[in-house]
Amino acid sequence: ARAAVKDLQAGEIVEGGSTITQQLVRNRYVSRERTVQRKLKEACLAAKLDGAWSKDRILTAYLNTVYYGNQAYGIEAAAQTYFSRPAKELTLTQSAMLAGLTQAPSVMNPFTSPERVRARRAEVLRAMVETGIVTARQHKRAKRAGLDLRPGRLYTEIREPYFFGYVRDRLIEVYGA
């Protein structure tokens, strides 16, 4: 509500304030333009989705569509990209790191900005302790851990280059170079 008031006062989108459901709707169903109309459409669609889907289903859909940087869309791709392991085998520290990446995946690149990623991971871990998801002991151990990156190759290339080349060629044909 606070963000909406500031946006209305400014006459444009100046603050975030999106729920996970709103982010899912924006990622899947609406444009990313920064207008009050788009934000209202997003809020209405999110309210409908909240009534139709369980919180677990919404979170699962969000985790499977959000961008984690380095060509990784979805939690499974992110787990493979950064740790070369399936998402179900992630540790607490690895999961906290990935949760922190969604805020700004291009700025929070673990391969080029490890200190920034560690700081963000620490914020995520602190929030997890404050909400009772992890104990103080787990938090302390996880906070000290390294990033333990093991870059994967599974999601580093476009899988269907001919398809993308075809689409590119059709776009150029229709809209010009």
Side-chain angles (χ1 to χ4, degrees):
R2 178 191 49 78
V5 168
K6 289 197 176 205
D7 292 347
L8 286 172
Q9 288 172 339
E12 63 181 347
I13 303 296
V14 293
E15 293 226 0
S18 296
T19 65
I20 285 179
T21 308
Q22 287 174 305
Q23 291 175 47
L24 174 62
V25 165
R26 182 177 52 246
N27 290 343
R28 281 190 164 185
Y29 307 114
V30 297
S31 70
R32 298 192 65 80
E33 64 183 333
R34 295 176 60 89
T35 65
V36 174
Q37 291 83 1
R38 192 265 314 156
K39 194 71 174 172
L40 290 172
K41 181 190 282 187
E42 179 184 297
C44 289
L45 289 171
K48 286 183 179 182
L49 194 60
D50 270 331
W53 286 10
S54 70
K55 290 293 181 192
D56 281 348
R57 185 173 178 193
I58 291 169
L59 181 59
T60 299
Y62 172 79
L63 291 173
N64 284 318
T65 58
V66 72
Y67 184 57
Y68 290 88
N70 289 295
Q71 300 181 38
Y73 285 90
I75 191 69
E76 189 64 36
Q80 292 292 340
T81 297
Y82 298 113
F83 304 110
S84 296
R85 64 174 22 177
K88 67 182 179 182
E89 294 178 11
L90 292 173
T91 66
L92 170 62
T93 55
Q94 292 167 338
S95 299
M97 186 200 92
L98 293 180
L101 291 182
T102 62
Q103 183 185 43
S106 59
V107 175
M108 308 265 183
N109 185 337
F111 301 125
T112 60
S113 303
E115 289 307 315
R116 184 175 283 159
V117 171
R118 278 190 196 93
R120 178 67 181 139
R121 181 185 70 182
E123 290 176 30
V124 170
L125 289 166
R126 186 172 38 258
M128 292 174 82
V129 140
E130 289 170 0
T131 57
I133 295 170
V134 298
T135 66
R137 183 182 209 176
Q138 289 171 310
H139 172 260
K140 187 176 181 180
R141 192 173 335 127
K143 191 176 173 184
R144 286 193 316 252
L147 292 180
D148 298 324
L149 299 172
R150 289 181 178 76
R153 298 202 189 304
L154 193 57
Y155 294 93
T156 58
E157 298 176 9
I158 296 174
R159 296 238 184 282
E160 304 294 338
Y162 299 109
F163 173 76
F164 288 107
Y166 172 80
V167 170
R168 182 197 64 229
D169 293 346
R170 293 298 73 76
L171 289 171
I172 290 171
E173 183 179 301
V174 172
Y175 296 106

